[in-house]
Amino acid sequence: MRYFYYIFLFFFLSASAQTERFKIVLDAGHGGKDPGKVHRKIYEKDIVLKIVLLVGKELEKNPLYKVTYTRKDDRFIELYERGAIANKAKADLFISVHCNSSPNKEAHGSESYVLGLHANDLNFEVAKEENQVIYLEKDYKEKYAGYDINSPESFIGLSIMQEEFLEQSIQMGKRIQNALAENPLSRDRGVKQAGFIVLHQTYMPSVLIETGFLSNQAERDFLNSSEGQQQVAQGIVKAINNYYHWLKNNSLLTKDSSSTDKGDTFYRVQIATSNKNLDAIPANFKGLSPIFKEKIGTSFRYYYGREIDKRKIENLLQIAKKKGFTDAFIVPFVGGKRSL
Protein backbone atom coordinates (compact mmCIF):
# COMPACT_ATOMS: atom_id res chain seq x y z
CA MET A 1 0.00 0.00 0.00
CA ARG A 2 2.82 2.35 0.91
CA TYR A 3 4.42 1.58 -2.48
CA PHE A 4 1.35 2.87 -4.35
CA TYR A 5 1.23 5.92 -2.11
CA TYR A 6 4.76 6.91 -3.12
CA ILE A 7 3.96 6.35 -6.80
CA PHE A 8 0.92 8.63 -6.45
CA LEU A 9 2.98 11.23 -4.59
CA PHE A 10 5.67 11.16 -7.27
CA PHE A 11 3.22 11.83 -10.10
CA PHE A 12 1.37 14.46 -8.08
CA LEU A 13 4.56 16.39 -7.35
CA SER A 14 5.71 16.02 -10.95
CA ALA A 15 2.45 17.47 -12.22
CA SER A 16 2.60 20.27 -9.67
CA ALA A 17 6.15 21.14 -10.68
CA GLN A 18 5.06 21.51 -14.32
CA THR A 19 2.29 23.95 -13.41
CA GLU A 20 3.40 27.55 -13.63
CA ARG A 21 2.47 29.24 -10.37
CA PHE A 22 1.15 32.79 -10.20
CA LYS A 23 4.02 34.87 -8.82
CA ILE A 24 3.22 37.65 -6.36
CA VAL A 25 5.71 40.10 -4.83
CA LEU A 26 4.61 41.68 -1.55
CA ASP A 27 6.27 44.95 -0.61
CA ALA A 28 6.05 46.31 2.93
CA GLY A 29 6.74 50.03 2.51
CA HIS A 30 9.58 51.84 4.28
CA GLY A 31 11.68 49.99 6.90
CA GLY A 32 14.93 50.41 8.81
CA LYS A 33 16.09 54.03 8.89
CA ASP A 34 12.93 55.03 7.01
CA PRO A 35 10.01 54.84 9.49
CA GLY A 36 7.37 56.17 7.10
CA LYS A 37 4.57 58.09 8.79
CA VAL A 38 4.85 58.37 12.56
CA HIS A 39 1.99 59.30 14.90
CA ARG A 40 2.14 58.93 18.68
CA LYS A 41 5.13 56.58 18.44
CA ILE A 42 3.28 54.32 16.01
CA TYR A 43 5.38 53.65 12.93
CA GLU A 44 4.02 52.95 9.46
CA LYS A 45 6.93 50.61 8.71
CA ASP A 46 5.89 48.27 11.55
CA ILE A 47 2.19 48.16 10.70
CA VAL A 48 2.65 47.47 6.98
CA LEU A 49 5.22 44.73 7.66
CA LYS A 50 2.78 42.92 9.92
CA ILE A 51 0.03 43.20 7.30
CA VAL A 52 2.29 41.95 4.49
CA LEU A 53 3.46 38.94 6.52
CA LEU A 54 -0.17 38.03 7.26
CA VAL A 55 -1.05 38.33 3.56
CA GLY A 56 1.92 36.20 2.56
CA LYS A 57 1.22 33.56 5.18
CA GLU A 58 -2.30 33.11 3.83
CA LEU A 59 -1.28 33.14 0.16
CA GLU A 60 1.44 30.55 0.76
CA LYS A 61 -1.24 28.04 1.78
CA ASN A 62 -2.48 28.09 -1.82
CA PRO A 63 -0.36 26.01 -4.27
CA LEU A 64 -1.45 28.32 -7.10
CA TYR A 65 0.74 31.10 -5.74
CA LYS A 66 4.43 31.73 -5.29
CA VAL A 67 5.14 34.59 -2.89
CA THR A 68 8.26 36.76 -2.75
CA TYR A 69 8.84 39.55 -0.19
CA THR A 70 10.91 42.69 -0.63
CA ARG A 71 11.50 42.55 3.13
CA LYS A 72 10.42 40.28 5.98
CA ASP A 73 11.98 42.27 8.81
CA ASP A 74 12.83 45.84 9.79
CA ARG A 75 15.40 46.76 7.15
CA PHE A 76 15.82 49.59 4.67
CA ILE A 77 15.24 48.57 1.04
CA GLU A 78 15.78 51.12 -1.72
CA LEU A 79 12.88 51.80 -4.09
CA TYR A 80 15.15 50.79 -6.96
CA GLU A 81 15.86 47.44 -5.30
CA ARG A 82 12.17 46.74 -4.57
CA GLY A 83 11.42 46.94 -8.28
CA ALA A 84 14.48 44.85 -9.09
CA ILE A 85 13.29 42.11 -6.73
CA ALA A 86 9.91 41.99 -8.49
CA ASN A 87 11.46 42.00 -11.97
CA LYS A 88 13.97 39.29 -11.07
CA ALA A 89 11.15 37.12 -9.72
CA LYS A 90 9.30 37.65 -13.04
CA ALA A 91 6.28 38.50 -10.92
CA ASP A 92 2.75 38.49 -12.25
CA LEU A 93 1.66 41.01 -9.62
CA PHE A 94 3.35 43.58 -7.35
CA ILE A 95 1.57 44.86 -4.23
CA SER A 96 3.12 47.64 -2.12
CA VAL A 97 1.44 48.27 1.26
CA HIS A 98 1.51 51.65 3.03
CA CYS A 99 -0.37 53.85 5.52
CA ASN A 100 -1.58 57.35 4.77
CA SER A 101 -1.48 60.64 6.67
CA SER A 102 -3.09 64.05 6.38
CA PRO A 103 -3.11 67.42 8.18
CA ASN A 104 -6.88 66.90 8.29
CA LYS A 105 -7.36 64.62 11.30
CA GLU A 106 -10.82 63.64 10.02
CA ALA A 107 -9.49 62.17 6.77
CA HIS A 108 -9.96 58.40 6.74
CA GLY A 109 -10.36 55.40 4.46
CA SER A 110 -8.27 53.35 2.06
CA GLU A 111 -7.16 54.20 -1.45
CA SER A 112 -5.21 52.29 -4.07
CA TYR A 113 -2.81 53.77 -6.58
CA VAL A 114 -1.61 52.66 -9.99
CA LEU A 115 1.16 54.34 -11.94
CA GLY A 116 0.13 57.40 -13.91
CA LEU A 117 0.19 61.16 -14.02
CA HIS A 118 -1.06 63.10 -11.02
CA ALA A 119 -4.73 63.85 -11.67
CA ASN A 120 -4.85 66.44 -8.90
CA ASP A 121 -2.75 68.10 -6.21
CA LEU A 122 -3.80 65.62 -3.52
CA ASN A 123 -2.58 62.66 -5.57
CA PHE A 124 0.67 64.49 -6.22
CA GLU A 125 1.24 65.17 -2.52
CA VAL A 126 0.65 61.50 -1.60
CA ALA A 127 3.14 60.33 -4.24
CA LYS A 128 5.60 63.06 -3.32
CA GLU A 129 5.62 61.99 0.33
CA GLU A 130 6.17 58.32 -0.53
CA ASN A 131 8.90 59.23 -3.04
CA GLN A 132 10.86 61.24 -0.44
CA VAL A 133 12.58 58.01 0.57
CA ILE A 134 14.96 58.28 -2.39
CA TYR A 135 16.90 60.95 -0.47
CA LEU A 136 17.90 58.27 2.04
CA GLU A 137 19.43 56.16 -0.72
CA LYS A 138 23.04 56.15 -1.86
CA ASP A 139 23.69 57.59 -5.34
CA TYR A 140 20.02 58.51 -5.74
CA LYS A 141 20.87 61.20 -8.32
CA GLU A 142 22.31 58.58 -10.65
CA LYS A 143 19.62 55.96 -9.99
CA TYR A 144 16.69 58.33 -10.46
CA ALA A 145 18.11 60.69 -13.06
CA GLY A 146 15.30 62.74 -14.54
CA TYR A 147 13.04 62.55 -11.50
CA ASP A 148 12.16 65.71 -9.64
CA ILE A 149 9.66 64.71 -6.97
CA ASN A 150 8.72 68.37 -6.50
CA SER A 151 7.63 68.73 -10.12
CA PRO A 152 4.54 66.98 -11.56
CA GLU A 153 5.94 67.56 -15.06
CA SER A 154 8.93 65.31 -14.38
CA PHE A 155 6.63 62.28 -14.35
CA ILE A 156 5.25 62.90 -17.84
CA GLY A 157 8.21 60.95 -19.16
CA LEU A 158 7.27 57.77 -17.29
CA SER A 159 8.08 54.67 -19.33
CA ILE A 160 5.34 53.72 -21.79
CA MET A 161 6.18 50.13 -20.89
CA GLN A 162 3.77 50.47 -17.96
CA GLU A 163 0.84 51.32 -20.24
CA GLU A 164 0.62 47.62 -21.06
CA PHE A 165 -0.25 46.84 -17.45
CA LEU A 166 -2.49 49.79 -16.64
CA GLU A 167 -5.85 48.04 -17.13
CA GLN A 168 -4.80 45.02 -15.07
CA SER A 169 -3.40 47.27 -12.34
CA ILE A 170 -6.69 49.17 -12.19
CA GLN A 171 -8.65 45.91 -12.04
CA MET A 172 -6.50 44.80 -9.10
CA GLY A 173 -6.93 48.17 -7.39
CA LYS A 174 -10.71 48.00 -7.73
CA ARG A 175 -10.79 44.58 -6.12
CA ILE A 176 -8.64 45.78 -3.23
CA GLN A 177 -10.91 48.74 -2.64
CA ASN A 178 -14.05 46.60 -2.77
CA ALA A 179 -12.61 44.10 -0.29
CA LEU A 180 -11.34 46.71 2.19
CA ALA A 181 -14.63 48.63 1.99
CA GLU A 182 -16.45 45.61 3.42
CA ASN A 183 -15.36 46.95 6.81
CA PRO A 184 -18.31 49.26 7.68
CA LEU A 185 -15.95 51.70 9.41
CA SER A 186 -13.75 52.10 6.33
CA ARG A 187 -14.28 54.62 3.55
CA ASP A 188 -13.56 53.67 -0.05
CA ARG A 189 -11.45 56.51 -1.43
CA GLY A 190 -11.16 54.83 -4.83
CA VAL A 191 -8.43 53.84 -7.28
CA LYS A 192 -6.19 56.71 -8.34
CA GLN A 193 -3.17 57.38 -10.52
CA ALA A 194 0.06 59.06 -9.47
CA GLY A 195 3.79 58.93 -10.11
CA PHE A 196 5.07 56.53 -7.47
CA ILE A 197 8.68 55.68 -8.19
CA VAL A 198 8.37 52.20 -6.70
CA LEU A 199 5.63 51.36 -9.22
CA HIS A 200 7.65 52.78 -12.09
CA GLN A 201 10.49 50.36 -11.36
CA THR A 202 8.32 47.27 -11.98
CA TYR A 203 7.35 45.57 -15.25
CA MET A 204 4.11 43.87 -14.26
CA PRO A 205 0.65 44.92 -12.96
CA SER A 206 1.42 46.92 -9.81
CA VAL A 207 -0.67 48.55 -7.08
CA LEU A 208 0.25 50.67 -4.07
CA ILE A 209 -2.26 50.48 -1.20
CA GLU A 210 -2.73 53.25 1.35
CA THR A 211 -4.54 51.12 3.93
CA GLY A 212 -5.72 53.99 6.12
CA PHE A 213 -4.72 57.20 7.88
CA LEU A 214 -2.42 57.11 10.90
CA SER A 215 -3.32 60.77 11.42
CA ASN A 216 -6.90 59.70 12.22
CA GLN A 217 -7.06 58.36 15.79
CA ALA A 218 -9.77 55.74 15.18
CA GLU A 219 -8.10 54.45 12.04
CA ARG A 220 -4.68 54.53 13.68
CA ASP A 221 -5.96 52.40 16.56
CA PHE A 222 -7.56 49.98 14.10
CA LEU A 223 -4.42 49.60 11.97
CA ASN A 224 -2.24 49.21 15.05
CA SER A 225 -4.40 46.37 16.40
CA SER A 226 -3.98 42.69 15.62
CA GLU A 227 -7.64 42.51 14.63
CA GLY A 228 -7.35 45.46 12.26
CA GLN A 229 -4.20 44.13 10.61
CA GLN A 230 -5.87 40.74 10.16
CA GLN A 231 -8.93 42.34 8.56
CA VAL A 232 -6.84 44.37 6.13
CA ALA A 233 -4.71 41.32 5.26
CA GLN A 234 -7.80 39.18 4.64
CA GLY A 235 -9.19 41.89 2.36
CA ILE A 236 -5.98 41.98 0.30
CA VAL A 237 -5.92 38.17 0.03
CA LYS A 238 -9.55 38.14 -1.09
CA ALA A 239 -8.78 40.79 -3.72
CA ILE A 240 -5.80 38.81 -5.05
CA ASN A 241 -7.90 35.64 -5.33
CA ASN A 242 -10.63 37.59 -7.12
CA TYR A 243 -8.09 39.16 -9.49
CA TYR A 244 -6.46 35.81 -10.27
CA HIS A 245 -9.80 34.28 -11.27
CA TRP A 246 -10.66 37.37 -13.33
CA LEU A 247 -7.41 36.89 -15.24
CA LYS A 248 -8.11 33.20 -15.70
CA ASN A 249 -11.65 33.78 -16.94
CA ASN A 250 -10.42 36.40 -19.40
CA SER A 251 -7.51 34.20 -20.58
CA LEU A 252 -4.98 36.81 -19.49
CA LEU A 253 -2.77 34.50 -17.43
CA THR A 254 0.73 34.00 -18.82
CA LYS A 255 1.01 30.75 -20.73
CA ASP A 256 3.83 28.35 -19.92
CA SER A 257 6.29 28.58 -22.83
CA SER A 258 6.91 24.82 -22.62
CA SER A 259 3.38 24.25 -23.92
CA THR A 260 4.34 25.75 -27.30
CA ASP A 261 7.30 23.56 -28.10
CA LYS A 262 6.52 23.10 -31.79
CA GLY A 263 8.16 25.20 -34.47
CA ASP A 264 11.34 27.26 -34.73
CA THR A 265 12.41 29.76 -32.09
CA PHE A 266 13.42 33.31 -32.97
CA TYR A 267 13.89 36.53 -31.01
CA ARG A 268 12.80 40.14 -31.25
CA VAL A 269 13.61 43.20 -29.15
CA GLN A 270 10.52 44.78 -27.60
CA ILE A 271 11.20 48.50 -27.54
CA ALA A 272 7.82 49.94 -26.56
CA THR A 273 4.22 49.34 -25.62
CA SER A 274 1.69 52.10 -26.16
CA ASN A 275 -1.99 52.88 -26.62
CA LYS A 276 -0.94 54.88 -29.70
CA ASN A 277 -1.20 53.14 -33.08
CA LEU A 278 2.07 54.23 -34.71
CA ASP A 279 3.22 53.33 -38.19
CA ALA A 280 5.96 50.68 -38.00
CA ILE A 281 8.51 52.82 -39.81
CA PRO A 282 12.07 53.81 -38.80
CA ALA A 283 11.12 57.50 -38.59
CA ASN A 284 8.86 56.78 -35.60
CA PHE A 285 11.51 54.75 -33.75
CA LYS A 286 14.73 56.79 -33.99
CA GLY A 287 15.80 55.14 -37.24
CA LEU A 288 15.58 51.53 -36.04
CA SER A 289 14.61 49.00 -38.70
CA PRO A 290 12.89 46.64 -39.20
CA ILE A 291 10.01 47.44 -36.82
CA PHE A 292 7.16 45.01 -36.14
CA LYS A 293 3.83 45.97 -34.58
CA GLU A 294 1.53 43.67 -32.59
CA LYS A 295 -1.97 44.62 -31.36
CA ILE A 296 -2.83 43.44 -27.83
CA GLY A 297 -6.32 44.47 -26.74
CA THR A 298 -6.37 48.26 -27.00
CA SER A 299 -2.58 48.53 -26.88
CA PHE A 300 0.25 47.96 -29.34
CA ARG A 301 3.63 46.31 -28.86
CA TYR A 302 6.54 47.45 -30.99
CA TYR A 303 9.50 45.19 -31.76
CA TYR A 304 12.85 45.76 -33.40
CA GLY A 305 14.61 43.08 -35.45
CA ARG A 306 14.17 39.35 -35.85
CA GLU A 307 17.05 36.93 -35.22
CA ILE A 308 17.52 33.20 -34.66
CA ASP A 309 20.99 33.68 -33.19
CA LYS A 310 20.75 34.90 -29.60
CA ARG A 311 24.09 36.71 -29.80
CA LYS A 312 22.83 38.75 -32.75
CA ILE A 313 19.61 39.73 -30.95
CA GLU A 314 21.65 40.78 -27.93
CA ASN A 315 23.61 43.11 -30.23
CA LEU A 316 20.31 44.58 -31.47
CA LEU A 317 19.22 45.06 -27.85
CA GLN A 318 22.32 47.17 -27.17
CA ILE A 319 21.66 49.21 -30.32
CA ALA A 320 18.08 49.89 -29.18
CA LYS A 321 19.26 50.97 -25.74
CA LYS A 322 21.86 53.31 -27.21
CA LYS A 323 19.07 54.87 -29.29
CA GLY A 324 17.26 55.72 -26.07
CA PHE A 325 14.97 52.71 -25.59
CA THR A 326 16.51 51.94 -22.20
CA ASP A 327 13.63 49.67 -21.13
CA ALA A 328 13.97 47.42 -24.20
CA PHE A 329 14.23 43.68 -23.66
CA ILE A 330 14.49 40.46 -25.68
CA VAL A 331 11.34 38.42 -26.36
CA PRO A 332 11.45 34.80 -27.62
CA PHE A 333 8.90 33.56 -30.17
CA VAL A 334 8.15 29.83 -30.48
CA GLY A 335 6.18 28.60 -33.48
CA GLY A 336 5.48 32.20 -34.44
CA LYS A 337 3.94 33.02 -31.05
CA ARG A 338 5.37 35.15 -28.26
CA SER A 339 6.38 32.87 -25.38
CA LEU A 340 7.18 35.50 -22.71
Side-chain angles (χ1 to χ4, degrees):
M1 188 69 181
R2 182 176 295 180
Y3 172 76
F4 289 108
Y5 167 77
Y6 284 121
I7 291 177
F8 169 78
L9 184 62
F10 170 78
F11 283 110
F12 174 78
L13 293 176
S14 298
S16 298
Q18 293 173 3
T19 302
E20 183 70 23
R21 290 194 289 169
F22 188 75
K23 297 179 284 292
I24 302 165
V25 170
L26 299 176
D27 174 48
H30 310 281
K33 62 184 178 182
D34 173 25
K37 286 89 171 179
V38 181
H39 288 271
R40 297 184 180 274
K41 298 184 179 180
I42 294 174
Y43 296 84
E44 176 186 3
K45 67 174 184 176
D46 297 330
I47 290 175
V48 297
L49 178 59
K50 291 175 181 176
I51 291 172
V52 158
L53 292 177
L54 287 170
V55 172
K57 183 179 179 181
E58 191 62 30
L59 291 175
E60 286 169 346
K61 296 177 183 177
N62 191 329
L64 290 173
Y65 302 135
K66 180 178 181 181
V67 181
T68 301
Y69 304 83
T70 58
R71 70 181 181 98
K72 297 184 75 173
D73 52 26
D74 185 20
R75 68 177 67 190
F76 179 73
I77 305 289
E78 297 181 351
L79 296 185
Y80 186 87
E81 179 62 20
R82 293 170 194 262
I85 291 170
N87 295 333
K88 185 177 179 181
K90 296 183 179 178
D92 298 296
L93 180 64
F94 177 83
I95 302 283
S96 187
V97 182
H98 292 257
C99 297
N100 217 333
S101 183
S102 172
N104 177 10
K105 305 301 181 186
E106 300 301 315
H108 68 284
S110 66
E111 53 194 27
S112 294
Y113 283 89
V114 300
L115 184 67
L117 299 181
H118 315 288
N120 56 45
D121 291 340
L122 284 177
N123 290 11
F124 175 58
E125 289 303 319
V126 173
K128 180 179 169 182
E129 189 167 354
E130 297 292 0
N131 291 339
Q132 291 274 1
V133 67
I134 68 171
Y135 297 133
L136 298 177
E137 300 183 19
K138 235 177 127 180
D139 303 324
Y140 73 88
K141 289 183 179 179
E142 289 75 21
K143 291 177 183 174
Y144 307 105
Y147 284 110
D148 177 3
I149 69 169
N150 296 302
S151 169
E153 288 75 21
S154 72
F155 291 89
I156 293 175
L158 289 173
S159 169
I160 61 175
M161 282 279 295
Q162 272 292 329
E163 289 187 20
E164 177 181 1
F165 309 114
L166 181 58
E167 176 58 26
Q168 292 182 29
S169 298
I170 291 172
Q171 289 293 335
M172 182 67 230
K174 287 179 178 178
R175 283 158 174 77
I176 290 170
Q177 288 305 117
N178 290 340
L180 296 184
E182 290 180 4
N183 177 358
L185 300 178
S186 179
R187 177 191 170 196
D188 178 6
R189 299 174 66 91
V191 179
K192 304 175 181 180
Q193 290 184 259
F196 289 92
I197 293 176
V198 70
L199 299 183
H200 179 235
Q201 301 301 311
T202 60
Y203 297 137
M204 72 281 306
S206 303
V207 179
L208 185 146
I209 311 168
E210 296 284 2
T211 54
F213 285 77
L214 295 186
S215 48
N216 180 293
Q217 182 176 343
E219 206 150 69
R220 180 171 65 247
D221 292 344
F222 173 75
L223 290 171
N224 195 43
S225 69
S226 297
E227 180 184 355
Q229 292 159 11
Q230 188 67 51
Q231 282 191 35
V232 172
Q234 287 174 349
I236 295 172
V237 170
K238 180 178 181 179
I240 290 172
N241 288 330
N242 190 310
Y243 173 76
Y244 174 84
H245 291 293
W246 174 78
L247 285 178
K248 187 175 180 181
N249 291 337
N250 287 276
S251 301
L252 294 174
L253 285 175
T254 302
K255 301 294 187 300
D256 188 348
S257 60
S258 64
S259 65
T260 56
D261 57 357
K262 295 181 179 179
D264 295 331
T265 298
F266 62 88
Y267 304 90
R268 285 175 173 158
V269 176
Q270 182 169 327
I271 55 175
T273 303
S274 177
N275 290 329
K276 295 179 181 178
N277 185 4
L278 303 174
D279 290 333
I281 57 176
N284 286 335
F285 297 92
K286 302 182 180 180
L288 294 179
S289 178
I291 298 294
F292 300 88
K293 178 169 62 176
E294 177 185 28
K295 192 173 189 299
I296 304 294
T298 58
S299 300
F300 298 85
R301 290 177 181 151
Y302 298 93
Y303 302 93
Y304 164 50
R306 182 188 188 280
E307 297 289 347
I308 297 174
D309 189 330
K310 202 164 186 183
R311 286 175 297 181
K312 290 183 179 179
I313 200 68
E314 286 171 352
N315 289 336
L316 293 185
L317 175 63
Q318 295 309 313
I319 292 172
K321 289 191 173 185
K322 286 179 182 178
K323 286 283 189 177
F325 297 98
T326 55
D327 291 326
F329 59 98
I330 295 171
V331 178
F333 286 76
V334 180
K337 295 182 180 179
R338 177 185 170 118
S339 62
L340 176 67

